[in-house]
Amino acid sequence: MGMNFSLQTHIFLLILTILLKPGNASIHVYNQESLNEVGNSYLLSGGSEGIFSSSDSRSFVRFDNITFWRPKSAAKSRGLIQVVVFEAADRNNIGGSAYGGQRSICCTSDLSKLQGCKQGEVLRIPSANDINWPIILKLHFSRNSLSTSMKNHEEVRISKTGMYNLFFIACDPKLKGVVMSGKTVWRNSNGYLPGRMAPLMRFYVFMSLVYFLLAVIWFTQYIRFRKDILQLQHCISVVVGLGLFEMILWYLEYANFNSTGMRPVVLTSWVVTVGAVRKTIARLLVLCVSMGYGVVRPTLGGLTSKVLLLGITYFLASELLDITETLEQLQVKRSAVKLDIYRKFSNALAAVVFVSVAWIGYELYFKATDPFNERWQSAWIITAFWDVLAFALLCVICYLWAPSQSSQRYAYSEELGEEFDEEEAQSLTREKPDGDISLVETKDKSAGGTHVFDEDDGEAEEDKRE
């Protein structure tokens, strides 16, 4: 069951953070993209990816069919385009400020005097860790030529794990209006999957295994007590099955992405569709359980259409209110077993809400304190957490409503509930011929005598049974 709890971006307790999993494509495509004016330069962001280094140089950023076009008014000059690749930690090594003034990306006359940079080019300060970084590739327009291209399949090798950024920059004012096309390929040491997403592939293997284990346990009980199965337990079975199917599909989608660098629309659509169906059923499942379905109601009757509507729009507060009302109803009916189930469920739900709110706070702190994605290697945990929490709550529901031979005894409608509870309270009594059921005689096998029980003693004994 997917779950998410932010009041701004999530409507219900059991929706995952995001329908589509986060992460940028490892192949960035540019189609007639314009370089925009920023300060004293014109630039275009070519992308940002977390890349794991490798000793055999299998990690790289490759440039394929990169071509720039300039306006006719600038055709008589030799314009310069610079391709800048740098690690996020070295972001301050691009550009500078003269006398504490406004920061400039391109070298100015004042900066040239102060730092010895070449006026009209990007100001680059060598990294303290590697003087060869940041990397700057230069590309010139030929005179009277309106286009220029990079060497095809040119690569920048990555030898250090980090968050890398790519920018296309022009410092010449005459190059205003330059556009570009082509693509860049970003590869990690183990494949094309972006660094921020790579740990999730292993995570979905783990989630597939735990969902498989849950499915084995659940469906073993389901088949064993198939004659006593409730409609509620059918719904739980669907959620468990879809959860396993979704985790497997996510793994396959990530594995394909990692090997090819592309995300096929058909496969991604399948994953998203299965996930959406699972989340919808899981959301309605929690709502129905909160309304007493499967415990004090065998069906929802005329409420079915309302439940379907609320399954799309209702908020967490409504769900908690339903649980509270159900608890009061069970308290009045003195149904100890049902009340105990709902107490455990509400306690689990409260714990989930508390943990979720705390995690949302951490997520906001994480994003607010990392504007340049320097902690990208641990960012996958943000996504994975909601899957783990959803699975934990599903396990609680599976445990509380596990198939058993006594499943059907709790599936009574609200109208019959009080009558059933009276029968439950008198289950140790037997009616006398004259209709008086206040007393009953039973024999004590060990003592050979008889004992007389009143009605209250019968209720107490029934509670022990339950």
Side-chain angles (χ1 to χ4, degrees):
M1 293 181 297
M3 304 167 61
N4 225 323
F5 307 93
S6 170
L7 294 178
Q8 297 178 351
T9 58
H10 317 289
I11 332 179
F12 187 67
L13 182 65
L14 299 176
I15 300 181
L16 292 173
T17 30
I18 301 174
L19 190 60
L20 277 172
K21 307 293 177 185
N24 299 321
S26 59
I27 297 179
H28 296 256
V29 179
Y30 320 102
N31 183 20
Q32 295 293 310
E33 306 287 345
S34 299
L35 274 66
N36 302 308
E37 185 174 0
V38 178
N40 66 342
S41 67
Y42 298 94
L43 62 81
L44 172 68
S45 173
S48 175
E49 297 286 357
I51 299 181
F52 292 98
S53 64
S54 62
S55 57
D56 54 4
S57 299
R58 289 189 297 170
S59 300
F60 57 77
V61 179
R62 190 177 71 221
F63 301 88
D64 292 349
N65 302 316
I66 298 294
T67 303
F68 295 86
W69 289 271
R70 62 178 174 175
K72 292 182 179 180
S73 59
K76 294 182 179 180
S77 63
R78 291 195 67 201
L80 172 66
I81 300 291
Q82 292 177 280
V83 181
V84 182
V85 182
F86 62 94
E87 190 183 355
D90 295 330
R91 58 187 175 277
N92 293 325
N93 292 56
I94 299 296
S97 174
Y99 311 113
Q102 183 178 358
R103 188 174 182 84
S104 301
I105 294 176
C106 296
C107 182
T108 63
S109 58
D110 289 335
L111 287 170
S112 178
K113 295 175 184 177
L114 292 173
Q115 301 192 24
C117 57
K118 187 176 181 179
Q119 190 173 350
E121 295 187 4
V122 172
L123 193 163
R124 169 190 177 275
I125 302 173
S127 171
N129 299 317
D130 188 343
I131 61 173
N132 295 318
W133 283 83
I135 298 290
I136 296 184
L137 306 177
K138 296 182 179 181
L139 182 65
H140 291 275
F141 284 93
S142 300
R143 291 188 184 276
N144 300 319
S145 176
L146 296 180
S147 66
T148 186
S149 300
M150 293 183 66
K151 181 181 178 181
N152 203 26
H153 303 311
E154 185 170 357
E155 296 180 352
V156 173
R157 297 288 176 172
I158 305 299
S159 58
K160 177 187 175 185
T161 297
M163 174 62 67
Y164 288 87
N165 298 272
L166 168 64
F167 284 92
F168 302 98
I169 303 176
C171 293
D172 188 348
K174 296 179 181 179
L175 292 179
K176 181 179 181 180
V178 168
V179 297
M180 66 157 295
S181 294
K183 70 178 181 180
T184 54
V185 179
W186 307 59
R187 193 185 192 282
N188 273 286
S189 57
N190 295 319
Y192 292 100
L193 198 62
R196 283 172 288 187
M197 300 172 66
L200 287 172
M201 187 168 71
R202 295 188 294 271
F203 171 75
Y204 286 124
V205 172
F206 169 77
M207 289 303 298
S208 297
L209 292 176
V210 295
Y211 262 101
F212 177 75
L213 179 61
L214 176 63
V216 169
I217 296 173
W218 175 264
F219 285 108
T220 298
Q221 292 293 98
Y222 184 87
I223 295 173
R224 180 183 176 188
F225 301 106
R226 57 186 178 277
K227 294 182 179 179
D228 298 298
I229 295 298
L230 303 175
Q231 289 296 325
L232 174 66
Q233 290 162 340
H234 291 314
C235 295
I236 296 175
S237 299
V238 171
V239 173
V240 172
L242 285 176
L244 174 60
F245 188 40
E246 183 189 8
M247 293 302 110
I248 293 174
L249 283 181
W250 273 122
Y251 168 74
L252 294 176
E253 202 265 352
Y254 273 46
N256 178 77
F257 189 6
N258 191 52
S259 62
T260 66
M262 301 295 290
R263 306 184 80 173
V265 175
V266 174
L267 179 57
T268 303
S269 299
W270 261 103
V271 179
V272 172
T273 301
V274 172
V277 171
R278 177 185 64 84
K279 294 166 194 173
T280 300
I281 296 176
R283 182 168 53 189
L284 294 176
L285 174 63
V286 173
L287 175 61
C288 293
V289 167
S290 301
M291 297 177 68
Y293 179 61
V295 177
V296 294
R297 297 169 182 256
T299 68
L300 293 175
L303 295 174
T304 302
S305 59
K306 295 181 180 179
V307 168
L308 294 176
L309 177 62
L310 287 174
I312 302 173
T313 60
Y314 81 98
F315 291 93
L316 179 63
S318 300
E319 176 192 308
L320 295 176
L321 178 61
D322 284 332
I323 293 176
T324 302
E325 291 177 347
T326 302
L327 289 174
E328 291 176 352
Q329 181 187 54
L330 293 177
Q331 193 72 270
V332 170
K333 293 182 179 182
R334 301 173 68 185
S335 181
V337 176
K338 299 174 188 177
L339 181 60
D340 183 60
I341 291 175
Y342 266 89
R343 276 179 176 164
K344 291 176 180 177
F345 176 65
S346 60
N347 289 341
L349 205 56
V352 166
V353 171
F354 176 80
V355 173
S356 300
V357 171
W359 188 260
I360 290 171
Y362 171 74
E363 185 174 343
L364 293 174
Y365 168 80
F366 184 91
K367 293 181 178 179
T369 58
D370 188 31
F372 299 102
N373 295 318
E374 293 180 271
R375 296 199 296 268
W376 59 274
Q377 295 185 66
S378 58
W380 67 275
I381 299 175
I382 299 295
T383 299
F385 171 82
W386 299 112
D387 286 315
V388 173
L389 194 60
F391 177 78
L393 187 56
L394 176 59
C395 287
V396 170
I397 292 177
C398 289
Y399 170 75
L400 294 177
W401 279 274
S404 67
Q405 60 184 6
S406 59
S407 294
Q408 292 289 346
R409 76 178 301 174
Y410 303 121
Y412 284 80
S413 67
E414 189 170 5
E415 290 77 11
L416 298 177
E418 292 182 7
E419 179 182 340
F420 175 70
D421 288 330
E422 288 180 8
E423 178 183 331
E424 199 175 35
Q426 297 171 358
S427 61
L428 293 181
T429 65
R430 288 185 175 82
E431 184 174 358
K432 287 187 176 182
D434 59 1
D436 184 5
I437 61 171
S438 61
L439 299 175
V440 63
E441 291 187 358
T442 61
K443 292 186 178 181
D444 188 329
K445 294 181 180 179
S446 61
T450 62
H451 297 282
V452 179
F453 294 85
D454 61 16
E455 198 169 19
D456 290 337
D457 290 335
E459 283 187 305
E461 189 65 27
E462 175 65 12
D463 287 340
K464 293 179 183 178
R465 257 191 186 180
E466 293 293 315

